[in-house]
Amino acid sequence: MRAAGATHDVLPAEVTTYVGRRAELSELRRLLGVSPVVTLTGPGGVGKTRLAQRAAAAVRAAFPGGLAFVELADLREPQLLVDTVAQRLGLGDRAARPRIDVLVDHLRGRRLLLVLDNCEHLVAACAQFVSTLTTSCPDLVVLATSRQSLAVAGEHVLPVPPLTVEGSSPALLAQSDAVRLFVDRATAVVPSFRLTEDNTADVARLCRALDGLPLAIELAAVRLRSLSVGQLADRLDKRFTLLTTGGSRGPSRHGTLRSLVDWSHELCTEQERLLWARASVFSGTFDLDAAEAVCSGDGLDTASVLDVIDRLLDKSILHRDDVEGVARYRMLETMRQYGAQRLRAAGDTEHYRRRHRDWFFELTRRFEAEWISPAQVTWISRLRREHANLRVALEFCATAPDEAAVGLRGLPPFKEYWIITGLTEGRLWLDKLLGVTGEDTPSRAHVLWIYAFYALVQGDLPAMERALAAATETADRDGDESALAYVDHVRAYAALIGNDMATAATLFETAIRSFREQGDRPGELWSTFNHGLALSLSGHYERGRRILRDSIATLAANGELFWRSWALWSLSAAEYLHGDIADATGDALEMLRLQRQVHDKVILAFGLTVLAGCATRSDEPRRAARLLGAATTVWQTLGATPNNYAAFVEPRNRDVDTVTGQLGVEDAAAEFLAGTGLSTEDAVAYALGEVPAEPDAAVPFRSPLTKRETQIAELVAMGMTNREIAERLVISRRTAETHVDHILGKLGYTNRAQIAAWFTDRHTPPA
């Protein structure tokens, strides 16, 4: 069982064997135990990433808070650095607070290893980010790889040298790391290859000529299909002599690798060169359909693309990954940058970036067309695979007003994608494109209402109001009835969150009428189930429940899952608040089963909260406390709290009172703590009864706090403010503040987030 809040500490798969680096690995392991920041530096191709992966795997046990490996090579936008790391750590973005603050609160007090791979193109952003984290989170350790140091306080720089070629005798040379790597890669290319007394000297000469650079050695080994080792070494000697114009010194390591890549390029056919250059516009990985659509034409017909990909795979220019049964291709960053230089030299960069953008925007249009269908989950997974490419497409749109206008038209079709994967990033791209385009750009009103909705869900009400006002003004001027209907929808949603159910019901009804007139079926369905919830909570329970059930049936008939999950939760919430506990429990559990396909943490937090209430009212206090703890952890990873949703504050407080009264403060806190220790997956399994319905009673912890202090600490861990604690316990705000300060002093902590971490991670207060 993973600890709650622990990262998904899965390292990138190693597809080739790892050779050498024993001394460097030993030193790196030592440094990770004593230094807050370690940066591996060295030229491209020297093996920094593989060494970081190896070290992270070796020291994993020393970091009970987990490890997170964050690949930055495909990240071009510095503003997304914090968001990228937060997503890797499983943190949602449902808070109006700065994302860095949420991240710091999550990491403070955790012994976690954060690996930032390929920082060189984001050095300034990475340096500021790492400095902020390590200053605020003393238990955090950062391992970075970069061609230059980050120059932050506490950083220990460990240069990664090339692999060695030592000795003169065949026996000694055979033990050198560079020679061993060459032999390993050579046998993968030519299985019959063996290191012998006759060829050892040539292998050593070759590895020395390549400066012991692992990437260069791997590229050279591919040539053994057509050349002997001696021929290969001779040809490299000639190339390097030309490269240095006959000088006595060989090329620099950068020059060595560049010369070898140049040679690889020269040995490619014209079609292979074209695909290499054009494929450099992709970010991360890409599939055959994308390659055919983006890279074909002008000397490379569509039917030839697969054959050319095969040949580039054979030459190790491209690498293949299998993702969910689909073959995808990628280039090492060195190769991608080389291809990009060739594309730029040919004057074709803008043309192929535009084709790239158009292909991925066509995907988003298909995503929109099949959103309400059985293909929905498949499309969500596909866009997740293409996330890096979507970023690059949007980045291109932000380069000029005309391109940004295309971007504005391309954003609404996948508005739901950002709801699922990241509102902060969605708002960033919306803001960028709005800033580049003029006031009269088509689709502007739609982009503004989407921005307003994202801001609302994050609790940024001032930004919501500004965007809605601008959307209304723009839609009125343009006569855009569709955008005006969505403005009503967002205002209804705001009223729903604020517990103004009568206003919400009226506005949703208005929006539904408009959507129906315009033939906007997805908009109508989205508003309809929310209308059912608003009606249910505004004194029209049976009518609202009927609308919700009809909505669920319609969505199910169309094979839809995402909005159906929300409709099921809305039905369960209405039933829970009305006292129909058995129905509420069944509908919430059905929602959890659906969410195993969509993986939306937000609705899981809502669902676990309702199920905790249902357990309370079913006289299952231990189960209720444990579910409440699990829900609290999920809410914390989202940076949010259910207290933002006014209709549930009082019922939730009442449930906590009931559970505490039945179990007593100490037992209730112990069960709550056990719940916070569940991973999201384990919490869902527990809620669904896939683990024993009544797990072994939690072992009460020995707390230095009194019962009253334990109760207050529990409320702090649930995200309550001092004012809310005061109202909850019927004490003055000053008394609540005094208790919290006293708890901090007893535990040796400095802020409230550490109290939450103490519960969540079972931390022992410092002596």
Side-chain angles (χ1 to χ4, degrees):
M1 181 184 296
R2 279 201 310 274
T7 63
H8 297 287
D9 53 352
V10 177
L11 291 165
E14 293 189 313
V15 296
T16 56
T17 54
Y18 191 76
V19 177
R21 300 287 191 203
R22 290 184 180 178
E24 292 90 342
L25 184 58
S26 176
E27 175 63 3
L28 182 51
R29 292 179 65 175
R30 184 189 71 81
L31 289 174
L32 291 174
V34 298
S35 179
V37 183
V38 182
T39 303
L40 300 178
T41 62
V46 81
K48 302 183 293 294
T49 296
R50 290 293 296 273
L51 179 57
Q53 291 175 6
R54 278 275 152 159
V59 302
R60 189 194 305 260
F63 292 90
L67 70 87
F69 192 98
V70 186
E71 298 166 297
L72 300 178
D74 297 321
L75 181 64
R76 318 284 175 84
E77 175 54 67
Q79 287 180 264
L80 289 174
L81 174 61
V82 176
D83 193 61
T84 298
V85 175
Q87 287 187 9
R88 186 68 186 84
L89 289 166
L91 299 180
D93 58 353
R94 287 306 200 265
R97 298 169 59 208
R99 200 78 189 276
I100 186 65
D101 292 348
V102 175
L103 187 55
V104 165
D105 284 349
H106 178 74
L107 292 175
R108 186 182 284 116
R110 298 176 191 268
R111 181 66 177 171
L112 179 139
L113 176 63
L114 174 63
V115 184
L116 301 177
D117 187 38
N118 286 300
C119 298
E120 53 270 357
H121 61 301
L122 301 167
V123 167
C126 286
Q128 181 179 0
F129 175 63
V130 170
S131 180
T132 299
L133 288 186
T134 53
T135 300
S136 306
C137 309
D139 293 324
L140 176 71
V141 174
V142 176
L143 171 59
T145 73
S146 177
R147 296 185 188 182
Q148 68 182 87
S149 69
L150 301 184
V152 298
E155 179 185 31
H156 193 114
V157 177
L158 181 63
V160 180
L163 296 176
T164 59
V165 185
E166 298 173 344
S168 56
S169 70
L172 289 175
L173 287 172
Q175 296 304 311
S176 296
D177 286 347
V179 172
R180 290 171 56 220
L181 177 64
F182 181 84
V183 172
D184 182 85
R185 301 306 187 255
T187 54
V189 175
V190 181
S192 61
F193 180 83
R194 295 291 183 272
L195 191 65
T196 67
E197 289 192 6
D198 293 334
N199 66 17
T200 298
D202 284 331
V203 171
R205 178 162 62 97
L206 175 66
C207 291
R208 288 193 179 105
L210 296 173
D211 261 327
L213 286 172
L215 178 56
I217 291 170
E218 293 186 8
L219 289 174
V222 174
R223 300 285 158 234
L224 291 185
R225 289 191 178 96
S226 52
L227 298 171
S228 69
V229 175
Q231 289 174 309
L232 183 54
D234 289 342
R235 286 175 179 260
L236 281 177
D237 282 343
K238 291 177 183 178
R239 292 192 66 83
F240 294 164
T241 299
L242 292 172
L243 181 69
T244 56
T245 62
S248 59
R249 296 182 61 188
S252 66
R253 288 180 182 130
H254 176 77
T256 297
L257 187 56
R258 172 69 189 218
S259 180
L260 193 62
V261 177
D262 277 338
W263 188 23
S264 295
H265 190 262
E266 290 168 16
L267 293 175
C268 287
T269 66
E270 182 58 26
Q271 285 190 326
E272 291 164 0
R273 293 174 189 171
L274 289 174
L275 184 56
W276 183 348
R278 294 170 186 178
S280 69
V281 300
F282 291 107
S283 184
T285 64
F286 57 94
D287 61 19
L288 177 60
D289 290 342
E292 290 176 337
V294 175
C295 302
S296 61
D298 298 326
L300 180 62
D301 61 274
T302 304
S304 300
V305 169
L306 178 57
D307 288 338
V308 178
I309 285 176
D310 281 340
R311 297 200 296 270
L312 290 178
L313 288 167
D314 199 45
K315 291 178 169 67
S316 293
I317 306 304
L318 289 178
H319 296 265
R320 171 180 165 160
D321 296 327
D322 286 308
V323 182
E324 298 177 3
V326 177
R328 294 183 66 84
Y329 312 104
R330 60 182 171 85
M331 284 189 228
L332 296 179
E333 185 62 11
T334 298
M335 298 304 195
R336 193 199 65 78
Q337 290 177 3
Y338 185 92
Q341 291 168 5
R342 291 285 178 171
L343 192 67
R344 192 160 48 247
D348 287 338
T349 299
E350 185 174 333
H351 174 72
Y352 285 99
R353 287 199 69 185
R354 184 176 292 111
R355 290 187 67 172
H356 173 277
R357 186 272 313 280
D358 291 346
W359 166 254
F360 285 102
F361 273 20
E362 175 59 28
L363 281 189
T364 66
R365 284 189 284 272
R366 291 165 60 191
F367 171 89
E368 179 185 43
E370 298 189 46
W371 174 249
I372 307 293
S373 81
Q376 184 185 79
V377 172
T378 300
W379 273 109
I380 293 171
S381 297
R382 183 165 186 179
L383 287 198
R384 278 176 167 150
R385 290 197 299 269
E386 302 295 2
H387 193 95
N389 282 304
L390 290 173
R391 282 177 169 173
V392 170
L394 291 166
E395 183 185 74
F396 176 71
C397 289
T399 58
D402 288 347
E403 303 300 345
V406 176
L408 287 191
R409 292 195 299 273
L411 280 169
F414 64 117
K415 59 185 178 295
E416 288 88 358
Y417 176 71
W418 298 113
I419 295 173
I420 296 169
T421 59
L423 298 176
T424 298
E425 182 169 351
R427 287 179 68 182
L428 182 144
W429 292 119
L430 293 169
D431 207 31
K432 273 183 175 291
L433 297 185
L434 287 167
V436 178
T437 54
E439 295 292 329
D440 59 348
T441 306
S443 299
R444 189 175 182 85
H446 276 278
V447 171
L448 284 164
W449 80 252
I450 294 170
Y451 186 94
F453 179 74
Y454 292 173
L456 166 64
V457 175
Q458 287 191 311
D460 189 354
L461 300 186
M464 178 203 73
E465 289 294 349
R466 289 192 297 270
L468 279 183
T472 303
E473 180 182 352
T474 304
D476 280 337
R477 184 195 65 212
D478 297 342
D480 191 338
E481 295 297 328
S482 174
L484 288 172
Y486 278 105
V487 168
D488 285 336
H489 173 87
V490 176
R491 291 206 176 279
Y493 214 102
L496 184 69
I497 291 174
N499 202 22
D500 184 356
M501 297 302 169
T503 299
T506 299
L507 286 171
F508 277 129
E509 192 165 18
T510 301
I512 291 165
R513 190 161 50 246
S514 297
F515 289 138
R516 194 170 291 145
E517 291 170 356
Q518 297 157 20
D520 184 346
R521 186 61 168 154
E524 180 186 349
L525 289 170
W526 188 10
S527 272
T528 298
F529 73 78
N530 282 293
H531 181 223
L533 177 59
L535 281 173
S536 296
L537 303 186
S538 64
H540 303 281
Y541 173 64
E542 289 300 337
R543 182 185 168 204
R545 186 158 71 156
R546 185 168 61 252
I547 289 173
L548 280 163
R549 286 174 171 168
D550 288 346
S551 295
I552 292 165
T554 300
L555 291 165
N558 284 276
E560 199 277 345
L561 289 177
F562 181 70
W563 289 132
R564 184 172 20 140
S565 297
W566 279 103
L568 277 165
W569 173 80
S570 298
L571 179 58
S572 70
E575 291 165 337
Y576 156 68
L577 293 175
H578 196 263
D580 291 332
I581 302 305
D583 288 342
T585 301
D587 290 326
L589 292 177
E590 184 180 349
M591 179 275 292
L592 290 186
R593 283 187 282 269
L594 289 183
Q595 274 305 301
R596 282 183 160 167
Q597 299 178 67
V598 180
H599 309 295
D600 179 10
K601 269 192 172 182
V602 180
I603 195 170
L604 292 179
F606 277 108
L608 291 171
T609 300
V610 166
L611 284 169
C614 291
T616 302
R617 301 190 192 185
S618 300
D619 294 324
E620 299 177 279
R622 290 194 180 278
R623 177 176 172 80
R626 196 164 291 206
L627 286 170
L628 187 61
T632 297
T633 292
V634 181
W635 282 112
Q636 288 174 349
T637 65
L638 296 170
T641 168
N643 293 336
N644 292 339
Y645 300 85
F648 296 92
V649 172
E650 181 54 36
R652 184 170 178 267
N653 288 344
R654 187 168 59 248
D655 290 338
V656 171
D657 272 345
T658 300
V659 168
T660 304
Q662 290 178 333
L663 296 179
V665 172
E666 291 287 348
D667 280 357
E671 290 292 347
F672 175 81
L673 172 61
T676 64
L678 297 174
S679 69
T680 303
E681 294 84 356
D682 289 337
V684 171
Y686 174 69
L688 290 172
E690 295 172 353
V691 294
E694 284 298 334
D696 294 339
V699 178
F701 57 91
R702 296 179 63 82
S703 174
L705 307 181
T706 65
K707 287 188 176 182
R708 187 62 156 180
E709 290 166 349
T710 298
Q711 185 180 19
I712 291 172
E714 180 183 359
L715 297 178
V716 170
M718 290 166 60
M720 290 192 182
T721 65
N722 287 341
R723 178 183 59 78
E724 291 169 331
I725 292 171
E727 293 173 354
R728 180 81 174 72
L729 300 179
V730 196
I731 57 178
S732 71
R733 184 169 177 175
R734 176 61 62 85
T735 300
E737 290 174 353
T738 300
H739 274 304
V740 171
D741 288 342
H742 192 61
I743 291 167
L744 289 170
K746 269 193 173 183
L747 298 179
Y749 291 153
T750 58
N751 58 67
R752 298 166 60 90
Q754 289 171 302
I755 296 175
W758 179 54
F759 272 85
T760 302
D761 291 339
R762 306 171 189 236
H763 284 183
T764 300

